[in-house]
Amino acid sequence: MNKQQLVQQFEEKYGDSKRQLRVFNAPGRVNLIGEHLDYNGGYVLPAALEFGTTLVIRERDDDVISLASTNLPHEADVRISENFGGKSGQWTDYPVGVMVELDKLGCRLTKGYDLLYHGDIPNGAGLSSSASIEVVTAYALLSMEGRDTDTVEIAKLSQRAENQFVGVNSGIMDQFAVANGRKDHAILLMCDTLRYELVPFQTGRYKIVIANTNKRRGLVDSKYNERRGECDRALEMLQKELPALQFLAQLTPEQFATLQDSITDETVRRRARHVVEENQRVLDSVEALKNNDLDAFGRYMNQSHDSLRYLYEVTGDELDAMVEEFQREPGTLGARMTGAGFGGCTVALVHEDHVEKVTQEVGKHYEARTGLKPDFYVCGVGQGVHEVKEAL
Ligand code: GLA
């Protein structure tokens, strides 16, 4: 849907008015490498996507915030004077959580607004549709109120909305990437300090191909929390030897080799090893990108998947089948799962001359192996949250 059609839908829903309409957009994200590192204080390398959530917003005369979407069922009217009501268990919890966080920061909204969202990120695929709703809401409301729109602060408050209001214990990576992405760049983010560097992502004739396994991601939250717990246990055991250690990802692979026996549980030791080695892989991948060595970058992607499969154990049959099928195809430099795991999407780098053949072949074999029909997205790197200013 283009901007004009969306504005038309907005006016059909909320009526015509002389007040100014503004349109904002926040992308989804794909993580290129550095998985399950954000909550371990390590490096991640996500990139913003070219699809995301667009929001049309207009001021009202009362103190109602009206929330609706073109692609998600459920609508809500909440009042500023009633502290936006409580949780509903619906998608509207994302924007409401953001408003609650803005309030806590002393940014109480001074007026009501009508909001219409349109998302073109597949929901539940692990491409951060929820982070993109949160970030676009924060950015749009702060802009409408004439406040500062610092995108690092927006990422932080959006993460708090997700953790505290929605109740999902995610790290900072998704909101950060959605808020701070830059076209044709990957973001090297140090999750401990939130210092970051935009790394040109020049892949020449190689394309990012995202594949949705379309596996229902039922266990994601509980397994995600289980992994976080295992990392906490590894850290506690290591701290007995190294009290100054604050995050697992602070350990170098060499330090880990000498200290690993202090982790008595074999499973927990494997989780920690993934964290330490994956962190080093992110740095090596960035080096490869800077040297234009895409072959090496592809190899690191493959190694990352293996580590998530055998050490961290967050892949599962569908993600493994998809990645194996990509890796088999000529023209593919590398492939790995992306996001939390247990379903969701994979990301691969595929030569443009092969994309059509590769997606056909992978689709066919993946379906034969799993009984599921996958979806493919050939995607460029898009822009972080912004106002859509081009004329109607
Ligand atoms: C999910 C979480 C992120 C991150 C990834 C794993 O996407 O929202 O914070 O932990 O999983 O890398």
Side-chain angles (χ1 to χ4, degrees), residues 29 31 33-40 44 126-128 130-131 159 162-163 168-175 217 220 224 228 274 278 308 312 314 336-341:
R29 69 95 188 91
N31 189 20
I33 197 159
E35 219 62 86
H36 288 274
L37 286 189
D38 57 356
Y39 54 84
N40 284 304
V44 293
L127 299 176
S128 298
S130 53
Q159 185 204 8
E162 177 115 10
N163 293 170
V168 175
N169 202 14
S170 53
I172 186 70
M173 172 172 76
D174 304 346
Q175 289 81 6
R217 299 198 313 149
V220 186
Y224 186 87
R228 289 190 70 143
H274 163 76
E278 179 84 349
L308 291 156
Y312 216 67
V314 290
R336 58 182 292 277
M337 58 151 269
T338 184

Coordinates of all heavy atoms in Angstrom, one line a residue, residues 29 31 33-40 44 126-128 130-131 159 162-163 168-175 217 220 224 228 274 278 308 312 314 336-341, ligand 1:
R29 N 13.8 -5.7 11.0 CA 15.3 -5.8 11.0 C 15.6 -7.3 10.7 O 14.8 -8.2 11.0 CB 15.9 -5.4 12.3 CG 15.6 -6.3 13.5 CD 16.7 -7.3 13.8 NE 16.3 -8.3 14.9 CZ 15.6 -9.4 14.6 NH1 15.3 -9.7 13.4 NH2 15.3 -10.2 15.6
N31 N 19.0 -9.8 11.6 CA 20.3 -9.8 12.2 C 21.3 -10.6 11.3 O 21.0 -11.8 11.0 CB 20.3 -10.4 13.6 CG 21.6 -10.3 14.3 OD1 22.4 -9.4 14.0 ND2 21.9 -11.1 15.4
I33 N 24.6 -11.3 11.8 CA 25.4 -12.2 12.6 C 25.5 -11.7 14.1 O 25.4 -10.5 14.3 CB 26.8 -12.5 12.0 CG1 27.4 -13.8 12.6 CG2 27.7 -11.3 12.1 CD1 28.5 -14.4 11.8
G34 N 25.7 -12.6 15.0 CA 25.8 -12.1 16.4 C 24.5 -12.4 17.1 O 23.8 -11.6 17.6
E35 N 24.2 -13.8 17.3 CA 22.9 -14.1 17.8 C 23.0 -14.5 19.3 O 23.9 -15.2 19.7 CB 22.4 -15.3 17.0 CG 20.9 -15.3 16.7 CD 20.5 -14.1 15.9 OE1 20.5 -14.1 14.7 OE2 20.1 -13.0 16.5
H36 N 22.0 -14.0 20.0 CA 21.9 -14.3 21.4 C 23.1 -13.6 22.1 O 23.5 -14.1 23.1 CB 21.7 -15.8 21.8 CG 20.4 -16.3 21.4 ND1 19.3 -16.2 22.2 CD2 19.9 -16.8 20.3 CE1 18.2 -16.7 21.6 NE2 18.6 -17.1 20.4
L37 N 23.5 -12.5 21.6 CA 24.6 -11.8 22.2 C 24.2 -10.5 22.9 O 24.9 -10.0 23.8 CB 25.7 -11.5 21.2 CG 26.5 -12.6 20.7 CD1 27.7 -12.1 19.9 CD2 27.1 -13.4 21.9
D38 N 23.0 -10.0 22.5 CA 22.7 -8.7 23.1 C 22.5 -8.7 24.6 O 23.1 -7.9 25.3 CB 21.5 -8.0 22.4 CG 20.2 -8.8 22.4 OD1 20.2 -10.0 22.8 OD2 19.2 -8.3 21.9
Y39 N 21.8 -9.7 25.1 CA 21.6 -9.8 26.6 C 22.9 -10.4 27.3 O 22.9 -10.5 28.5 CB 20.4 -10.6 26.9 CG 20.3 -12.0 26.4 CD1 20.9 -13.1 27.0 CD2 19.6 -12.2 25.2 CE1 20.8 -14.3 26.4 CE2 19.5 -13.5 24.6 CZ 20.1 -14.5 25.2 OH 20.1 -15.8 24.7
N40 N 23.9 -10.7 26.5 CA 25.2 -11.1 27.1 C 26.2 -10.0 27.0 O 27.4 -10.3 27.1 CB 25.7 -12.4 26.5 CG 24.9 -13.6 27.0 OD1 24.8 -13.8 28.2 ND2 24.3 -14.4 26.1
V44 N 26.5 -7.3 18.1 CA 25.6 -7.8 17.2 C 25.7 -7.0 15.9 O 26.3 -5.9 15.9 CB 24.1 -7.7 17.7 CG1 23.9 -8.6 18.9 CG2 23.7 -6.3 18.0
G126 N 9.9 -13.3 13.3 CA 11.1 -12.9 13.9 C 11.9 -11.8 13.2 O 13.1 -11.7 13.3
L127 N 11.1 -11.0 12.5 CA 11.8 -9.9 11.8 C 11.4 -8.5 12.5 O 11.5 -7.5 11.9 CB 11.3 -9.8 10.3 CG 11.7 -11.1 9.5 CD1 11.2 -11.0 8.1 CD2 13.3 -11.3 9.5
S128 N 11.0 -8.6 13.7 CA 10.8 -7.5 14.6 C 9.7 -6.6 14.2 O 9.8 -5.3 14.3 CB 12.1 -6.7 14.7 OG 13.1 -7.4 15.3
S130 N 7.1 -6.2 16.1 CA 6.7 -5.5 17.3 C 7.6 -4.4 17.6 O 7.2 -3.3 18.0 CB 6.6 -6.5 18.5 OG 7.8 -7.2 18.6
A131 N 9.0 -4.5 17.4 CA 9.9 -3.4 17.7 C 9.6 -2.3 16.7 O 9.7 -1.1 17.1 CB 11.3 -3.9 17.5
Q159 N 12.4 -0.7 24.2 CA 12.8 -2.0 24.8 C 12.1 -2.1 26.2 O 11.6 -3.2 26.6 CB 14.3 -2.2 25.0 CG 14.7 -3.6 25.5 CD 16.0 -3.6 26.2 OE1 16.6 -2.6 26.4 NE2 16.4 -4.8 26.5
E162 N 8.6 -3.1 25.9 CA 8.4 -4.6 25.5 C 8.7 -5.4 26.8 O 8.0 -6.4 27.1 CB 9.5 -4.9 24.5 CG 9.5 -6.4 24.1 CD 9.0 -6.6 22.7 OE1 8.9 -5.7 21.9 OE2 8.8 -7.8 22.3
N163 N 9.7 -5.1 27.6 CA 10.1 -5.9 28.8 C 9.0 -5.7 29.8 O 8.6 -6.7 30.4 CB 11.4 -5.4 29.3 CG 12.6 -5.8 28.4 OD1 13.7 -5.3 28.6 ND2 12.4 -6.5 27.3
V168 N 7.7 -9.2 27.6 CA 8.7 -10.1 26.9 C 10.1 -9.6 27.2 O 10.4 -8.5 27.0 CB 8.4 -10.1 25.3 CG1 9.4 -10.9 24.6 CG2 7.0 -10.6 25.0
N169 N 10.9 -10.6 27.6 CA 12.2 -10.3 28.2 C 13.3 -10.2 27.1 O 14.3 -10.9 27.2 CB 12.5 -11.5 29.1 CG 13.6 -11.1 30.1 OD1 13.8 -9.9 30.3 ND2 14.1 -12.1 30.8
S170 N 13.1 -9.4 26.0 CA 14.0 -9.4 24.9 C 15.2 -8.4 25.2 O 15.1 -7.6 26.1 CB 13.3 -8.9 23.7 OG 12.6 -7.7 23.9
G171 N 16.3 -8.5 24.4 CA 17.4 -7.6 24.6 C 17.2 -6.3 23.8 O 16.0 -6.1 23.4
I172 N 18.2 -5.6 23.6 CA 18.1 -4.2 23.0 C 18.2 -4.3 21.4 O 17.9 -3.3 20.7 CB 19.1 -3.2 23.6 CG1 18.9 -1.8 23.1 CG2 20.5 -3.7 23.2 CD1 17.7 -1.1 23.6
M173 N 18.7 -5.4 20.9 CA 19.1 -5.4 19.5 C 18.0 -4.9 18.5 O 18.2 -4.1 17.6 CB 19.5 -6.8 19.0 CG 19.8 -6.9 17.6 SD 20.5 -8.5 17.1 CE 19.1 -9.6 17.2
D174 N 16.8 -5.5 18.7 CA 15.7 -5.2 17.7 C 15.3 -3.8 17.6 O 15.3 -3.1 16.6 CB 14.5 -6.1 18.0 CG 14.8 -7.6 18.1 OD1 15.9 -8.0 17.7 OD2 14.0 -8.3 18.6
Q175 N 15.0 -3.2 18.8 CA 14.6 -1.8 18.9 C 15.7 -0.9 18.4 O 15.5 0.1 17.7 CB 14.2 -1.4 20.3 CG 12.8 -2.1 20.7 CD 13.0 -3.5 21.2 OE1 14.1 -4.0 21.3 NE2 11.9 -4.1 21.5
R217 N 6.0 -20.5 16.1 CA 7.1 -20.4 17.0 C 6.6 -20.4 18.5 O 6.8 -19.6 19.3 CB 7.8 -19.0 16.8 CG 8.4 -18.9 15.4 CD 9.4 -17.8 15.3 NE 9.0 -16.6 15.9 CZ 9.7 -15.7 16.5 NH1 11.0 -15.9 16.6 NH2 9.2 -14.6 17.0
V220 N 9.0 -20.1 21.7 CA 10.1 -19.1 21.7 C 10.3 -18.5 23.1 O 11.4 -18.5 23.6 CB 9.8 -18.0 20.7 CG1 11.0 -17.1 20.6 CG2 9.5 -18.6 19.3
Y224 N 13.6 -19.1 25.1 CA 14.5 -17.8 25.2 C 14.9 -17.6 26.6 O 16.0 -17.3 26.9 CB 13.7 -16.7 24.6 CG 14.5 -15.4 24.4 CD1 15.2 -15.2 23.2 CD2 14.4 -14.4 25.4 CE1 15.9 -14.0 23.1 CE2 15.1 -13.2 25.2 CZ 15.9 -13.0 24.0 OH 16.5 -11.8 23.9
R228 N 18.6 -17.5 28.6 CA 19.0 -16.4 29.4 C 19.5 -16.9 30.8 O 20.5 -16.5 31.3 CB 18.0 -15.3 29.5 CG 17.8 -14.6 28.2 CD 16.9 -13.4 28.3 NE 17.6 -12.3 29.1 CZ 17.5 -11.0 28.8 NH1 16.7 -10.6 27.8 NH2 18.1 -10.1 29.5
H274 N 29.3 -20.8 22.9 CA 28.7 -20.1 21.8 C 28.8 -18.6 21.9 O 29.2 -17.9 21.0 CB 27.2 -20.5 21.7 CG 26.4 -19.5 20.8 ND1 26.5 -19.5 19.4 CD2 25.7 -18.4 21.1 CE1 25.8 -18.5 18.9 NE2 25.3 -17.8 19.9
E278 N 30.9 -16.6 19.2 CA 30.0 -15.8 18.3 C 30.4 -14.3 18.3 O 30.4 -13.6 17.3 CB 28.5 -16.0 18.6 CG 27.5 -15.2 17.8 CD 27.1 -15.9 16.5 OE1 27.8 -16.9 16.1 OE2 26.2 -15.4 15.8
L308 N 24.8 -22.1 16.7 CA 23.4 -22.0 17.3 C 22.7 -23.4 17.3 O 21.9 -23.6 18.1 CB 22.6 -21.0 16.5 CG 23.1 -19.6 16.6 CD1 22.8 -18.7 15.4 CD2 22.6 -19.0 17.9
Y312 N 24.3 -23.8 21.2 CA 23.3 -23.0 21.8 C 21.9 -23.7 21.7 O 21.0 -23.4 22.5 CB 23.2 -21.6 21.2 CG 22.9 -20.5 22.3 CD1 23.8 -20.3 23.3 CD2 21.7 -19.9 22.2 CE1 23.5 -19.3 24.3 CE2 21.4 -18.9 23.2 CZ 22.3 -18.6 24.2 OH 22.0 -17.7 25.2
V314 N 19.2 -23.7 19.5 CA 18.0 -22.9 19.3 C 17.5 -22.9 17.9 O 16.7 -22.1 17.5 CB 18.2 -21.4 19.7 CG1 18.4 -21.2 21.2 CG2 19.4 -20.8 19.0
R336 N 22.2 -18.8 7.6 CA 22.1 -19.0 9.0 C 20.7 -18.6 9.5 O 19.9 -17.9 8.8 CB 23.1 -18.2 9.8 CG 23.0 -16.7 9.6 CD 24.1 -15.9 10.3 NE 23.8 -16.0 11.7 CZ 23.0 -15.2 12.4 NH1 22.3 -14.3 11.8 NH2 22.8 -15.4 13.7
M337 N 20.3 -19.1 10.6 CA 19.0 -18.6 11.2 C 19.3 -17.2 11.7 O 20.4 -16.8 11.9 CB 18.6 -19.5 12.4 CG 19.6 -19.6 13.5 SD 18.9 -19.9 15.2 CE 18.6 -18.2 15.8
T338 N 18.2 -16.5 11.8 CA 18.3 -15.1 12.3 C 17.2 -14.8 13.4 O 16.1 -15.3 13.2 CB 18.2 -14.1 11.2 OG1 18.4 -12.8 11.7 CG2 16.9 -14.1 10.4
G339 N 17.6 -14.1 14.4 CA 16.6 -13.8 15.5 C 16.7 -14.8 16.6 O 17.7 -15.4 16.9
A340 N 15.6 -15.0 17.3 CA 15.6 -15.8 18.5 C 15.8 -17.3 18.2 O 16.4 -18.1 19.0 CB 14.3 -15.6 19.3
G341 N 15.3 -17.8 17.1 CA 15.4 -19.2 16.7 C 14.1 -19.9 17.0 O 13.0 -19.3 17.1
Ligands
GLA1 C1 15.2 -11.9 19.7 C2 15.3 -10.8 20.8 C3 16.6 -10.0 20.7 C4 17.8 -11.0 20.6 C5 17.5 -12.1 19.6 C6 18.6 -13.2 19.6 O1 15.1 -11.3 18.5 O2 14.3 -9.9 20.7 O3 16.8 -9.1 21.7 O4 18.1 -11.5 21.8 O5 16.3 -12.7 19.8 O6 19.8 -12.7 19.1

